[in-house]
Amino acid sequence: MDSKFMQNNLVELAKLIRFHILTSTTAARSGHPSSSLSATDLMTVLMFSGFFKADLDHPANPNNDRLIFSKGHAAPLFYSLYAVAGKVSAEEMLTLRQFGSRLEGHPTMYFPYTEAGTGSLGQGLSIGLGMALNAKLDKLPYKTYVLLGDSEMAEGSVWEAMQLAAHYKLDNLVGIIDVNRLGQRGETMYGHDVEGYAKRVSAFGWETIVIDGHEVNEIETAFSAAQKITGKPVMIIAKTLKGKGVSFIENKDGWHGKPLNKEECEKALLEIGEVDKKLVGKVASPPPTPSIAMEGGREPSPSQRGGQPARNGFAVAKSGGGGVSYKLGDLVATRKAYGNALVRLMESYKNLVVLDAEVSNSTYSEFVKKTHPERFFEMYIAEQNMVGAALGFSRRGKIPFVSTFAAFFARAFDQIRMSQYAMEINPDAPSAVGAGIKFVGSHAGVSIGEDGASQMALEDLAIFRAILGSVVMYPSDAVSCERIAELAADTPGNFYIRTTRKETLVLYSPEEKFVVGGSKVLRESKNDAVTVVGAGVTLHEALKAYEELQKEKINIRVIDLYSIKPLDTATLQKVAEETKAIITVEDHYAEGGLGEAVASAFVGNAYTRSLPRIEMLAVRKMPRSGKPAELLAYEEIDAAAIVKLVKKLL
Amino acid sequence: MDSKFMQNNLVELAKLIRFHILTSTTAARSGHPSSSLSATDLMTVLMFSGFFKADLDHPANPNNDRLIFSKGHAAPLFYSLYAVAGKVSAEEMLTLRQFGSRLEGHPTMYFPYTEAGTGSLGQGLSIGLGMALNAKLDKLPYKTYVLLGDSEMAEGSVWEAMQLAAHYKLDNLVGIIDVNRLGQRGETMYGHDVEGYAKRVSAFGWETIVIDGHEVNEIETAFSAAQKITGKPVMIIAKTLKGKGVSFIENKDGWHGKPLNKEECEKALLEIGEVDKKLVGKVASPPPTPSIAMEGGREPSPSQRGGQPARNGFAVAKSGGGGVSYKLGDLVATRKAYGNALVRLMESYKNLVVLDAEVSNSTYSEFVKKTHPERFFEMYIAEQNMVGAALGFSRRGKIPFVSTFAAFFARAFDQIRMSQYAMEINPDAPSAVGAGIKFVGSHAGVSIGEDGASQMALEDLAIFRAILGSVVMYPSDAVSCERIAELAADTPGNFYIRTTRKETLVLYSPEEKFVVGGSKVLRESKNDAVTVVGAGVTLHEALKAYEELQKEKINIRVIDLYSIKPLDTATLQKVAEETKAIITVEDHYAEGGLGEAVASAFVGNAYTRSLPRIEMLAVRKMPRSGKPAELLAYEEIDAAAIVKLVKKLL
């Protein structure tokens, strides 16, 4: 404890915080007072005893300690801490959960002290781990604190973070488990067995400190000890009572996510006793930092960090960006081109970090491991934690590229989902912009071959398309893959790149330009019968089909739809008028993929006429093991299937 | 050890197994010999020392022990075990990974001894947990064995299973960790620190036995001890060498997923020494069982188990199925109707089990917890393990209904993805049929209100649509929800039901019939301007819009698209001809949801003309906290938005 903070009257501050928790949730008629009250004493001490060091006028100050409420439903407590620190007025507290308020049901980016949106349990420790790794990387003095609920300790993602934090010896990461015994519908698996928690956490390599979470002295001693422990992360395991401070809900079942009614609230406030609403809790300052742009309160966005000028809100890839040179007709796997691009990008973007889930020799992110080992993070086979940590890096100003087999991003889909709610928000036009994660999934589709269905990504386009504001790109050759990787580094927000296991022909010269929302017409004549739209391996099948059909004097138009989202609607609408039908062909299930994306170019405001005829070739049968060509044929997404369908349509 | 099995010569059997591993992967030119060799001695002892008891001629025998290779890439070992047991010929072993072979790259349902497809790491223990729970429920004598890799111990899902198995005291579940030290691209986090594994596993409440995984006596002692331990699950932690038995790859980095070439294979076979290819390993028999239908080798499918007669491959819901009666115009949340339906279904389906992720008082599966506690399983906040366990139940003949907030199924999407590969396969028309999981997600969309974006399912339709052979249904009222729950119980395969948090009007009388692939035209006239298609809350908005427009003498057709997949293409195509445009309106992101599903009714073989004009109303802005009505208005998916768009289209 920092002696100069003795001046805060913790007991009075905790009372005021409880007052805000109760009155705001009663006013909102929903919310989680009981889950907030159990952690009130823990957070009051952390925040107002000099342990937590932050310049609250500049949330972006890189030396600020970080506080993540993994138990996001304790948002009333979270907001109350900042109310008591003078950053949220008593009036604003009463707007909790109202439409338009910064104080949403779970912490979101509308509130300037939210590090990342939480509310899906078990994710906060991974985000904190990313921030703690970032501090180690940049040699920054800040600590990251994560408040966990006991119920969420059942989530495996917590244990993924636990083992990796110990592996990386993150002594700048402090977790606090609020063991209030009660989950949503009754007791948790372990109840109040704090020693049981300690046993498991310490087996995972953490220092553990077990305390009574309502005893201010014990809490202070714990945080004080946590400052001194080195070489490992620290978990404070606090036995608490849900609803602490309000006798008729304290430690009682049936009070999860339930506000008090007005009468009950008045009764509760009487129990809390008189509060001094003018009280302002002082928060310790962080160590001084060299001059750093802190305007606006948030980190500079990637484009502010020196990216390319944006066009229509999106960046344009530098062409001929050097590095490995590919010759037209060479056979190069896009995953390898990704690795090559990454090595180059590490030079231009000093804030680029690379995370991989123990498959870097397949995704080729290992190239970076060799050239820039300090910014490569081995995350082992724990995709959820990898994505959560990437979010933490992203929120601290890094551009994280995360890679694994595309199929295994399914494992982290909830973390991916939540990452869309951690984007910076432009209050004038709320949408997902700002920092983001660059996801790179290799081994897409049945074309991986012999390994079989479990390793084939056949729903990755669907899941990444369904993320608000995401960009989804799918290069077909090495050159476009390098350009697309550059676009990813340079475009704000979440970005997905789908790479291919097998080698594909180089189609483009190094000068070729690619844009987010673009496409390439690769074959075109004035009498094209139909248009075939593909990407990745299926584009090459379309080109083979073109050759086949040429022999029979049938012309088709062939489009490389490298940008699946956003979509080049102008080009698609043009070909819809100029050719009889559009055939989409994709190495992905029919739902939510390239075909449905193409169809969406013809709906709503984008298009005021009737839709053209569209045919979708996609994976529709249970995939098997076999040679890539056999599987493309089996699923009817190869050149022969295209030729057959074109002829049928003539 | 069962004394009568002394007759198997374990050393010779292990040699023959290694022979098959090496020759099959060399012939396939891909696969994982090194990861198979490390576990060979462990599995040889389990299988051929009398511990594993199974009637291999009847894989469906309910008393058979179960063996799951969570490390699915050790498939060559898995197949070799059955080769040595006389169930796969030496010739067939050489078809490994070839197109059309039963012996796929990772175990799939084409192979009759596969319990569930594996290959996405960290999922096997949950599947085994489901099978072990099933044995406890049915008082069956079988044990479930799960072979785990050390790399996959980094997956949080393993620890979810670990804690729940201890919680439920599953002493019929035995895990074996093959600690071969090496992952795909180097050493794992813990290397050969078997004591470290033991510490963590035992902290999670398991009995641990640490052994040398190549010492037959130690292995036998371990399995023998595992038989006797009661009250907790057992983990055998075996220190092994990757590539064991082949000196030049043994314990060496760089040999993951890499077959030997012909020369290397010959060299390796010399090291193994001469093998007796005629050797057949005997497997102990399970306890005798009362007469049970075991034809075909697989469990009877749900429809065989006494379901309703199928129509077009899908069941027709019984109407007026009794239970709670709803009156037209009543306000009832569909999630509550689901709970009501479930109670009734528990009576008709004795093999129905219910799993919930600690939110049963929100999903209303708690109704069953009260009426049928023995078939209700609290899975706590660990969605991955819940889905994995449900798959285990499903593979043992149960119909598992699993529920949580729809948003949190994202957490288990990789398990959901893998479940599609655990469906029974009809070799004549490979597709996903047979046993399956019934997923029920509550709290769909922005209409949940104040809790905010983290709790809103806005991509659940996209992910469940992208599952091969899945059924996706979205009831708008209590009556249809009850009928749809009946359909779920009665339809083979994976089935998703999306329920709504808030109360909605009862629209249907109890006699109304609902089918998989159906829809309801709720408002219709001869001069309908446009058609509005909705489901769930948006259907009610469409009905409100209808009333509004009626006041201005504008007629619209309104369709309840309760079956999102499969789709009622006939009705959609009919309205496309009869009205000027189709407006879809959904409480879901625009990608992969109801709107794109509707558009897909007009592509490909389903439709030979041009598409009609389609307009999609969907969630397109960063969702906020607020009242349901405010949020529907904000996202422009409410009655007002529909009215506005209809007028624009006139």
Side-chain angles (χ1 to χ4, degrees):
Chain A
M1 182 175 40
D2 189 329
S3 59
K4 70 179 165 173
F5 282 91
M6 292 299 284
Q7 69 216 64
N8 276 329
N9 184 328
L10 294 175
V11 174
E12 287 304 312
L13 285 175
K15 275 170 62 178
L16 184 55
I17 288 169
R18 288 193 158 92
F19 169 86
H20 284 307
I21 291 168
L22 291 166
T23 51
S24 64
T25 51
T26 293
R29 294 180 174 200
S30 69
H32 296 79
S34 61
S35 304
S36 294
L37 292 168
S38 62
T40 296
D41 301 311
L42 292 163
M43 292 297 104
T44 304
V45 172
L46 170 65
M47 204 75 160
F48 301 109
S49 275
F51 298 113
F52 190 78
K53 297 181 188 67
D55 170 5
L56 297 191
D57 291 326
H58 300 100
N61 184 322
N63 284 357
N64 279 357
D65 284 346
R66 303 285 149 187
L67 173 60
I68 297 161
F69 267 44
S70 186
K71 52 175 287 185
H73 54 291
L77 165 60
F78 187 62
Y79 304 137
S80 297
L81 291 173
Y82 292 94
V84 164
K87 298 300 171 191
V88 180
S89 71
E91 293 69 40
E92 189 179 6
M93 279 305 298
L94 297 177
T95 68
L96 178 73
R97 291 177 158 243
Q98 284 179 23
F99 184 70
S101 170
R102 300 189 298 173
L103 313 180
E104 302 210 291
H106 292 75
T108 65
M109 304 315 290
Y110 288 99
F111 188 65
Y113 303 101
T114 302
E115 299 291 345
T118 50
S120 182
L121 291 169
Q123 302 197 9
L125 197 60
S126 299
I127 300 167
L129 178 146
M131 294 187 171
L133 278 174
N134 182 71
K136 291 280 182 188
L137 177 65
D138 288 354
K139 299 186 175 54
L140 289 170
Y142 71 83
K143 279 192 181 288
T144 302
Y145 296 91
V146 181
L147 175 67
L148 296 136
D150 49 352
S151 280
E152 69 179 313
M153 298 304 287
E155 288 284 13
S157 50
V158 176
W159 300 97
E160 292 180 5
M162 206 80 86
Q163 59 194 347
L164 202 76
H167 180 75
Y168 282 122
K169 302 183 170 53
L170 297 178
D171 48 17
N172 54 355
L173 178 62
V174 180
I176 306 107
I177 313 181
D178 174 21
V179 186
N180 66 21
R181 188 180 72 83
L182 293 169
Q184 171 172 328
R185 45 80 268 156
E187 194 162 55
T188 64
M189 241 184 287
Y190 297 94
H192 260 150
D193 179 14
V194 282
E195 293 302 335
Y197 284 99
K199 195 174 157 194
R200 291 182 299 141
V201 173
S202 87
F204 271 67
W206 286 52
E207 185 71 31
T208 57
I209 306 172
V210 175
I211 58 168
D212 178 328
H214 301 303
E215 282 296 328
V216 169
N217 289 341
E218 285 192 37
I219 304 170
E220 286 186 332
T221 307
F223 280 119
S224 192
Q227 312 295 311
K228 289 162 205 148
I229 288 157
T230 57
K232 52 163 108 170
V234 181
M235 188 67 78
I236 297 170
I237 298 161
K239 182 174 173 178
T240 64
L241 300 177
K242 201 157 173 169
K244 173 71 182 181
V246 179
S247 62
F248 53 96
I249 69 169
E250 198 174 286
N251 201 22
K252 285 199 171 58
D253 208 352
W255 281 96
H256 180 93
K258 209 171 161 181
L260 307 188
N261 64 30
K262 273 192 181 172
E263 239 172 42
E264 291 163 341
C265 185
E266 276 165 29
K267 203 174 141 195
L269 292 180
L270 282 177
E271 289 192 13
I272 302 288
E274 208 170 335
V275 294
D276 177 0
K277 293 180 199 169
K278 295 218 172 63
L279 211 59
V280 175
K282 291 193 190 69
V283 173
S285 298
T289 163
S291 74
I292 285 193
M294 290 182 294
E295 304 82 49
R298 297 268 187 214
E299 299 84 308
S301 75
S303 58
Q304 289 173 299
R305 289 190 296 254
Q308 293 292 299
R311 192 171 84 175
N312 301 327
F314 290 110
V316 182
K318 295 179 282 278
S319 59
V324 180
S325 66
Y326 308 102
K327 285 199 297 276
L328 290 175
D330 276 359
L331 277 170
V332 185
T334 52
R335 58 181 173 138
K336 199 167 257 181
Y338 165 65
N340 292 334
L342 213 45
V343 171
R344 265 190 311 109
L345 289 168
M346 294 299 271
E347 288 301 316
S348 356
Y349 294 82
K350 299 298 179 194
N351 59 344
L352 199 157
V353 293
V354 177
L355 293 77
D356 192 281
E358 228 269 83
V359 289
S360 56
N361 54 344
S362 287
T363 61
Y364 287 112
S365 69
E366 69 170 0
F367 290 174
V368 161
K369 194 172 155 186
K370 287 163 191 164
T371 60
H372 299 81
E374 71 293 348
R375 282 188 277 149
F376 176 91
F377 296 89
E378 179 56 72
M379 304 302 280
Y380 298 93
I381 307 183
E383 297 80 5
Q384 297 188 78
N385 182 55
M386 175 170 73
V387 172
L391 182 55
F393 270 120
S394 162
R395 295 295 315 134
R396 299 307 322 124
K398 294 294 184 291
I399 306 176
F401 274 69
V402 302
S403 48
T404 185
F405 282 25
F408 304 143
F409 277 125
R411 196 61 151 267
F413 186 50
D414 198 30
Q415 279 75 8
I416 295 168
R417 183 181 76 85
M418 286 302 295
S419 75
Q420 76 190 316
Y421 302 127
M423 299 297 102
E424 291 174 40
I425 289 167
N426 174 350
D428 301 322
S431 63
V433 296
I437 303 172
K438 316 306 169 181
F439 302 92
V440 182
S442 67
H443 293 66
V446 300
S447 73
I448 68 161
E450 288 82 356
D451 272 335
S454 65
Q455 319 290 302
M456 295 170 175
L458 292 164
E459 53 294 289
D460 55 321
L461 295 176
I463 70 176
F464 281 105
R465 282 185 67 230
I467 295 297
L468 199 67
S470 66
V471 173
V472 177
M473 296 187 85
Y474 186 8
S476 300
D477 86 331
V479 171
S480 55
C481 187
E482 290 232 14
R483 296 296 91 76
I484 285 168
E486 291 160 9
L487 287 169
D490 214 40
T491 305
N494 284 330
F495 199 116
Y496 175 57
I497 304 175
R498 185 184 219 217
T499 68
T500 300
R501 176 172 184 268
K502 67 184 202 125
E503 297 177 333
T504 48
L505 282 175
V506 172
L507 298 173
Y508 298 105
S509 66
E511 296 75 35
E512 195 76 30
K513 284 192 166 49
F514 295 83
V515 295
V516 172
S519 71
K520 295 282 174 193
V521 180
L522 293 187
R523 299 288 184 271
E524 184 172 22
S525 78
K526 279 185 179 155
N527 54 347
D528 290 333
V530 300
T531 300
V532 179
V533 181
V537 286
T538 62
L539 177 67
H540 295 273
E541 296 300 316
L543 293 171
K544 278 186 231 163
Y546 171 88
E547 298 298 333
E548 279 301 307
L549 290 163
Q550 279 289 298
K551 291 178 195 160
E552 305 184 42
K553 311 263 186 253
I554 301 169
N555 289 326
I556 58 170
R557 194 161 299 178
V558 178
I559 294 183
D560 173 3
L561 196 73
Y562 64 81
S563 182
I564 310 279
K565 181 186 174 191
L567 208 56
D568 184 357
T569 50
T571 296
L572 292 169
Q573 291 179 7
K574 182 167 174 281
V575 299
E577 277 168 39
E578 294 176 0
T579 64
K580 201 172 164 183
I582 295 176
I583 297 173
T584 63
V585 51
E586 63 192 304
D587 193 358
H588 185 278
Y589 285 137
E591 293 83 6
L594 181 147
E596 291 194 358
V598 167
S600 77
F602 300 97
V603 304
N605 296 325
Y607 199 67
T608 54
R609 287 144 295 173
S610 288
L611 284 161
R613 179 156 184 189
I614 298 176
E615 297 274 343
M616 290 185 193
L617 296 177
V619 175
R620 295 181 193 270
K621 281 182 277 192
M622 181 74 88
R624 305 224 49 177
S625 285
K627 295 196 182 72
E630 288 170 331
L631 301 180
L632 294 175
Y634 177 65
E635 298 291 353
E636 299 172 63
I637 53 172
D638 65 346
I642 297 168
V643 166
K644 192 175 149 197
L645 184 54
V646 168
K647 287 182 176 175
K648 193 183 134 195
L649 292 173
L650 287 181
Chain B
M1 183 174 34
D2 189 328
S3 58
K4 70 178 167 177
F5 283 91
M6 292 299 285
Q7 68 216 63
N8 276 329
N9 184 329
L10 294 176
V11 173
E12 287 304 313
L13 286 175
K15 276 169 62 178
L16 185 54
I17 288 169
R18 287 195 159 91
F19 169 86
H20 284 307
I21 290 168
L22 291 166
T23 52
S24 64
T25 50
T26 294
R29 295 180 174 199
S30 68
H32 296 79
S34 61
S35 304
S36 294
L37 292 169
S38 62
T40 296
D41 301 312
L42 292 163
M43 292 297 104
T44 304
V45 173
L46 170 64
M47 204 74 160
F48 301 109
S49 274
F51 297 113
F52 190 77
K53 298 180 187 68
D55 170 6
L56 297 191
D57 291 327
H58 299 98
N61 185 321
N63 283 357
N64 278 359
D65 284 346
R66 302 286 149 188
L67 173 59
I68 298 160
F69 268 44
S70 186
K71 52 175 289 185
H73 55 290
L77 166 61
F78 187 61
Y79 304 137
S80 298
L81 291 173
Y82 292 93
V84 164
K87 299 299 171 192
V88 179
S89 71
E91 293 68 40
E92 189 179 6
M93 279 305 298
L94 297 178
T95 68
L96 177 73
R97 292 177 157 245
Q98 284 179 24
F99 185 70
S101 170
R102 299 189 300 172
L103 313 180
E104 303 210 289
H106 293 75
T108 66
M109 304 315 290
Y110 287 99
F111 188 64
Y113 302 101
T114 303
E115 299 291 346
T118 50
S120 181
L121 291 170
Q123 302 198 10
L125 198 61
S126 299
I127 299 167
L129 178 146
M131 294 188 171
L133 279 174
N134 181 71
K136 292 281 183 188
L137 176 65
D138 287 355
K139 299 186 174 52
L140 289 170
Y142 70 84
K143 279 192 182 288
T144 303
Y145 296 91
V146 181
L147 175 67
L148 296 136
D150 49 352
S151 280
E152 68 179 314
M153 298 303 289
E155 287 285 13
S157 51
V158 177
W159 300 96
E160 292 181 5
M162 206 79 87
Q163 60 194 345
L164 202 75
H167 179 74
Y168 281 122
K169 301 183 170 51
L170 297 179
D171 48 17
N172 55 354
L173 178 63
V174 180
I176 306 107
I177 313 180
D178 174 21
V179 186
N180 67 21
R181 187 181 72 84
L182 293 169
Q184 171 172 328
R185 45 80 267 155
E187 193 162 56
T188 64
M189 240 184 288
Y190 298 93
H192 260 149
D193 179 13
V194 281
E195 293 302 335
Y197 284 100
K199 194 173 158 193
R200 291 183 299 141
V201 173
S202 87
F204 271 67
W206 286 51
E207 185 71 30
T208 57
I209 306 173
V210 175
I211 58 168
D212 178 329
H214 301 303
E215 282 296 328
V216 169
N217 289 341
E218 285 192 37
I219 303 169
E220 286 185 333
T221 307
F223 281 119
S224 192
Q227 312 294 311
K228 289 161 204 150
I229 288 157
T230 57
K232 50 162 108 171
V234 180
M235 187 67 79
I236 297 171
I237 298 161
K239 182 174 173 176
T240 63
L241 300 178
K242 201 157 172 168
K244 173 71 183 183
V246 179
S247 63
F248 52 95
I249 69 170
E250 199 174 284
N251 201 23
K252 286 199 170 58
D253 208 353
W255 280 96
H256 180 93
K258 209 170 162 182
L260 307 188
N261 64 29
K262 274 192 181 174
E263 241 172 40
E264 290 163 341
C265 184
E266 276 166 27
K267 202 174 142 197
L269 292 180
L270 282 177
E271 290 191 12
I272 303 287
E274 208 170 335
V275 294
D276 176 1
K277 293 180 198 170
K278 294 216 171 64
L279 211 61
V280 176
K282 291 194 187 69
V283 173
S285 298
T289 163
S291 72
I292 285 192
M294 290 183 294
E295 304 82 51
R298 298 268 187 213
E299 299 85 307
S301 74
S303 58
Q304 290 173 298
R305 289 191 295 254
Q308 294 293 298
R311 193 171 84 175
N312 301 327
F314 290 111
V316 182
K318 295 179 282 277
S319 60
V324 180
S325 65
Y326 308 103
K327 284 198 298 275
L328 289 175
D330 275 359
L331 277 169
V332 185
T334 52
R335 58 182 171 137
K336 199 166 257 181
Y338 165 65
N340 292 334
L342 213 44
V343 170
R344 263 189 314 109
L345 290 169
M346 294 299 270
E347 287 301 317
S348 354
Y349 294 82
K350 298 299 180 195
N351 59 344
L352 199 157
V353 293
V354 177
L355 292 78
D356 193 280
E358 227 269 83
V359 289
S360 57
N361 54 344
S362 288
T363 60
Y364 286 111
S365 69
E366 69 168 1
F367 291 174
V368 162
K369 194 172 154 185
K370 288 162 190 163
T371 59
H372 299 81
E374 71 292 348
R375 282 188 276 149
F376 177 90
F377 296 89
E378 179 56 71
M379 304 302 280
Y380 298 93
I381 307 182
E383 297 80 3
Q384 297 187 79
N385 181 55
M386 174 170 73
V387 172
L391 182 55
F393 269 120
S394 162
R395 295 294 316 132
R396 298 308 321 125
K398 295 293 185 293
I399 305 176
F401 275 69
V402 302
S403 48
T404 185
F405 282 27
F408 304 143
F409 277 125
R411 195 60 150 268
F413 186 50
D414 198 28
Q415 279 76 9
I416 295 168
R417 182 181 76 85
M418 286 302 295
S419 76
Q420 76 190 316
Y421 302 127
M423 300 298 101
E424 290 173 40
I425 288 168
N426 174 351
D428 300 321
S431 62
V433 296
I437 303 172
K438 316 306 168 180
F439 301 93
V440 183
S442 68
H443 292 66
V446 301
S447 73
I448 67 161
E450 288 81 356
D451 272 334
S454 65
Q455 319 291 301
M456 296 170 176
L458 292 164
E459 51 295 289
D460 55 321
L461 296 176
I463 70 175
F464 281 105
R465 282 184 69 232
I467 296 297
L468 199 67
S470 65
V471 174
V472 178
M473 295 187 85
Y474 185 9
S476 299
D477 87 331
V479 171
S480 55
C481 186
E482 290 232 15
R483 296 296 91 78
I484 285 168
E486 292 160 9
L487 287 170
D490 214 39
T491 305
N494 284 329
F495 200 116
Y496 176 58
I497 303 176
R498 186 185 219 217
T499 68
T500 299
R501 176 171 183 267
K502 68 184 200 126
E503 298 177 332
T504 47
L505 282 175
V506 172
L507 298 174
Y508 298 105
S509 66
E511 296 74 36
E512 195 77 30
K513 283 191 165 49
F514 294 83
V515 295
V516 172
S519 71
K520 295 282 175 193
V521 180
L522 293 188
R523 298 289 183 273
E524 183 172 23
S525 78
K526 281 187 178 152
N527 55 348
D528 291 333
V530 301
T531 300
V532 179
V533 181
V537 288
T538 62
L539 177 67
H540 295 273
E541 296 299 316
L543 292 171
K544 277 187 231 164
Y546 172 89
E547 297 299 333
E548 280 300 307
L549 290 163
Q550 279 289 297
K551 291 178 196 160
E552 304 183 42
K553 310 263 186 254
I554 300 169
N555 289 326
I556 58 169
R557 196 161 298 177
V558 177
I559 294 182
D560 173 3
L561 195 73
Y562 64 81
S563 181
I564 310 280
K565 182 187 173 191
L567 209 56
D568 184 357
T569 50
T571 298
L572 291 169
Q573 291 178 7
K574 182 168 173 281
V575 300
E577 278 169 35
E578 294 177 359
T579 64
K580 201 172 165 181
I582 295 176
I583 297 173
T584 63
V585 51
E586 63 191 305
D587 193 357
H588 185 277
Y589 285 136
E591 292 85 5
L594 181 148
E596 291 194 359
V598 168
S600 77
F602 300 96
V603 304
N605 296 325
Y607 199 67
T608 55
R609 286 145 297 174
S610 288
L611 283 162
R613 178 157 184 187
I614 298 176
E615 297 272 342
M616 290 186 193
L617 296 177
V619 175
R620 295 181 193 271
K621 281 181 277 191
M622 181 75 89
R624 305 225 49 178
S625 285
K627 295 195 182 73
E630 289 170 332
L631 300 181
L632 293 175
Y634 177 65
E635 298 291 352
E636 298 173 63
I637 54 171
D638 65 346
I642 297 168
V643 167
K644 192 175 149 196
L645 183 53
V646 168
K647 287 183 178 173
K648 193 184 133 195
L649 291 174
L650 288 181

